[in-house]
Amino acid sequence: ELKVEQNPLFLSMQEGKNYTIYCNYSTTSDRLYWYRQDPGKSLESLFVLLSNGAVKQEGRLMASLDTKARLSTLHITAAVHDLSATYFCAVGSISSGSARQLTFGSGTQLTVLP
Amino acid sequence: DAGVTQSPTHLIKTRGQQVTLRCSPKSGHDTVSWYQQALGQGPQFIFQYYEEEERQRGNFPDRFSGHQFPNYSSELNVNALLLGDSALYLCASSLAGAVSNQPQHFGDGTRLSIL
């Protein structure tokens, strides 16, 4: 059974600081997704990582994937208040379906303090 | 370009009742997946529909069933509701065989409360 673990679960940061969220998964996969969720809202796609060594950046967020270590990271640079949200990683797997079944981590609730 | 739409937004039911949730996929998408998100947790995969058939299923009991219509919209039905079924139910859509870097698109969800 595929397990996805994120840490930390809760993160309070000062504005302007850097930090990294970690996502470990238990079985081989070639699809790793990062989503953002604001309170009471749906999931917004941030990144799709497809291969070993993949790195993607959007603004103050950078995601990377190491398939050999089964590890993805989401790095936050010079945090600002607008980044406060819950961040989920998800591993995609497919058996008989037409699209990947996503297995999510528990989420990291990020609060950026002034 | 309409995104994924779900209805209703909120629903209150009592134990033992039955409920139907609805989802219209993003324009151009043909695959619908349903997820259950309990408070403070990550979404859990319920099942996926493509070509009007259930294609993949997560670890959910038979009380959870679904349907996909020819226009690709989908319904999630839950029978004999339990208190533990209280959650946000999310629908995600995608295009079968699409380029591999496309994410699934999520709707705003239906908040189901069981009393």
Side-chain angles (χ1 to χ4, degrees):
Chain A
E1 180 188 350
L2 173 60
K3 293 188 186 302
V4 181
E5 293 185 355
Q6 276 182 248
N7 67 84
L9 298 182
F10 299 93
L11 177 57
S12 290
M13 300 176 60
Q14 294 287 331
E15 277 190 331
K17 297 293 186 181
N18 305 332
Y19 210 84
T20 300
I21 298 171
Y22 297 88
C23 174
N24 290 91
Y25 53 98
S26 61
T27 63
T28 302
S29 174
D30 60 354
R31 299 285 184 277
L32 195 293
Y33 306 81
W34 284 96
Y35 285 87
R36 167 182 172 148
Q37 187 175 40
D38 291 292
K41 302 291 187 180
S42 188
L43 298 167
E44 173 192 355
S45 175
L46 296 174
F47 301 107
V48 181
L49 302 171
L50 304 179
S51 59
N52 190 42
V55 177
K56 290 196 173 181
Q57 183 163 4
E58 181 74 33
R60 301 175 187 276
L61 300 178
M62 183 174 71
S64 66
L65 178 62
D66 181 343
T67 57
K68 294 179 182 177
R70 298 176 188 163
L71 170 68
S72 180
T73 61
L74 181 66
H75 187 72
I76 302 154
T77 302
V80 293
H81 180 71
D82 286 352
L83 290 180
S84 296
T86 299
Y87 293 85
F88 291 96
C89 66
V91 174
S93 56
I94 193 165
S95 56
S96 56
S98 63
R100 278 168 172 75
Q101 166 183 332
L102 302 184
T103 302
F104 285 82
S106 299
T108 297
Q109 186 177 319
L110 171 65
T111 303
V112 180
L113 304 170
Chain B
D1 180 17
V4 180
T5 58
Q6 292 186 243
S7 64
T9 54
H10 294 86
L11 206 48
I12 300 174
K13 292 285 188 179
T14 57
R15 282 178 296 175
Q17 285 189 309
Q18 178 265 344
V19 69
T20 298
L21 311 181
R22 295 176 176 83
C23 171
S24 293
K26 178 180 168 65
S27 178
H29 285 181
D30 56 10
T31 299
V32 173
S33 301
W34 286 92
Y35 292 82
Q36 180 195 67
Q37 185 177 21
L39 197 61
Q41 297 182 22
Q44 284 193 289
F45 177 76
I46 304 174
F47 44 53
Q48 181 185 98
Y49 276 84
Y50 172 65
E51 292 185 328
E52 303 178 47
E53 290 186 10
E54 182 183 294
R55 299 290 181 158
Q56 298 185 86
R57 189 178 183 93
N59 189 24
F60 279 80
D62 291 344
R63 298 188 297 109
F64 290 77
S65 63
H67 190 77
Q68 186 180 34
F69 299 94
N71 67 352
Y72 309 119
S73 67
S74 177
E75 288 181 350
L76 163 65
N77 301 291
V78 187
N79 295 321
L81 287 166
L82 303 174
L83 293 178
D85 295 332
S86 295
L88 179 67
Y89 288 84
L90 294 165
C91 170
S93 75
S94 54
L95 177 62
V99 292
S100 58
N101 62 350
Q102 295 301 307
Q104 293 185 19
H105 293 256
F106 284 81
D108 288 339
T110 294
R111 174 73 61 188
L112 176 63
S113 299
I114 310 302
L115 302 179

